């Protein structure tokens, strides 16, 4: 948060975030004020006269950035603004962009978050498409074998569990025959890429395919 100065009555000169480079208290020693006879809790309005800044030379010489301040507006009160938002109003989107920067939208966004399924299935698939579900190959607990719980001849990876396992393969074949949604795909990552690209339109057939897809992944994971 940052104080946008109006008449200066609602902002502490030393403590609040109003100066161009942030709170003065975090960057300067307090004796800059006290040695010159000013109270540490002085308000900004003490340095405003007729809507212009009126800093003593001793203060400006110690804090030169005060010379670059735009003129205050004594006709209005001070205002708190959200730095991360261009409008000054808090939004989750602007804050996220401020913290991590603008990120390109990944193709799977349409598949995962714009599908008409219950939230826990969306969250489950969101982890699965990133290979973030705790399959045995990603678990750090030493006593777990890295072996599929359904087909013990194979390691339990995302690719095996959700695509190649003998438990789930018949389900994919059934959906393929009824839904015609993939042909020569050979691994889990390619399946995600294909479905993300092919199911962008919210047609009735695509919605049914998405529901089937989410259900297979969710119940396969729940069963194991």
């Amino acid at each position: 948060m940052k104080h946008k100065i109006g008449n200066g009555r609602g902002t502490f000169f030393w403590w609040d975030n109003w100066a161009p480079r942030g709170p003065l208290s975090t960057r300067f020693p307090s004796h800059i004020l006290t040695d010159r006879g000013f109270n540490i809790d002085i308000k900004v309005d003490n340095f405003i006269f007729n809507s212009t800044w009126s800093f003593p030379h001793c203060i400006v010489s110690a804090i030169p950035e005060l010379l670059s301040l735009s003129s205050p507006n004594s006709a209005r009160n001070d205002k708190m603004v959200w730095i991360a938002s261009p409008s000054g109003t808090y939004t989750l989107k602007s804050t996220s962009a401020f913290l991590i920067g603008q990120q390109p939208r990944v193709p799977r966004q349409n598949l995962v978050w714009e599908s008409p399924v219950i939230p826990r299935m969306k969250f489950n698939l969101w982890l699965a498409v990133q290979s973030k579900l705790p399959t045995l190959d990603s678990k750090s607990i030493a006593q777990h074998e890295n072996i599929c719980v359904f087909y013990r001849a194979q390691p339990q990876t995302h690719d095996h569990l959700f695509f190649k396992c003998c438990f789930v393969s018949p389900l994919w074949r059934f959906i393929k025959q009824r839904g015609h949604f993939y042909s020569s795909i050979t691994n889990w990552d390619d399946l995600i890429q294909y479905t993300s690209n092919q199911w962008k339109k919210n047609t009735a057939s695509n919605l049914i395919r998405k529901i089937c897809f989410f259900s297979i992944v969710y119940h396969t994971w729940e069963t194991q």
Side-chain angles (χ1 to χ4, degrees), residues 112-125:
V112 176
W113 300 115
E114 298 180 13
S115 298
V117 298
I118 57 179
R120 67 172 177 267
M121 286 189 175
K122 289 185 179 183
F123 184 72
N124 185 79
L125 185 64

Side-chain angles (χ1 to χ4, degrees), residues 85-102:
S85 173
S87 67
T89 303
Y90 171 82
T91 64
L92 183 60
K93 181 178 180 180
S94 63
T95 303
S96 175
F98 179 79
L99 294 175
I100 64 176
Q102 294 289 348

Side-chain angles (χ1 to χ4, degrees), residues 146-156 160:
N146 180 17
I147 299 296
C148 176
V149 296
F150 301 120
Y151 185 58
R152 298 193 61 81
Q154 294 292 329
Q156 191 199 63
H160 172 78

Side-chain angles (χ1 to χ4, degrees), residues 7-73:
N7 55 31
R9 297 170 189 165
T11 302
F12 287 102
F13 175 83
W14 192 248
W15 306 111
D16 288 334
N17 182 18
W18 68 277
R21 296 171 54 196
L24 301 175
S25 60
T26 63
R27 297 179 290 113
F28 298 97
S30 60
H31 67 75
I32 288 178
L33 281 182
T34 57
D35 287 357
R36 292 162 174 81
F38 293 101
N39 189 297
I40 199 71
D41 293 325
I42 194 172
K43 296 289 187 69
V44 172
D45 68 318
N46 286 273
F47 300 106
I48 297 176
F49 181 74
N50 289 337
S51 291
T52 59
W53 293 111
S54 180
F55 296 111
H57 176 73
C58 58
I59 296 292
V60 173
S61 61
I63 311 175
E65 67 186 73
L66 297 178
L67 293 172
S68 64
L69 292 171
S70 57
S71 297
N73 185 350

Side-chain angles (χ1 to χ4, degrees), residues 131-174:
S131 297
K132 296 296 186 181
L133 284 170
T135 51
L136 293 182
D137 62 321
S138 62
K139 289 179 179 176
S140 59
I141 304 176
Q143 61 264 32
H144 283 286
E145 281 187 288
N146 180 17
I147 299 296
C148 176
V149 296
F150 301 120
Y151 185 58
R152 298 193 61 81
Q154 294 292 329
Q156 191 199 63
T157 63
H158 284 73
D159 187 44
H160 172 78
L161 182 63
F162 296 115
F163 190 78
K164 297 178 180 178
C165 179
C166 61
F167 176 83
V168 74
S169 293
L171 297 176
W172 289 128
R173 286 197 295 270
F174 176 79

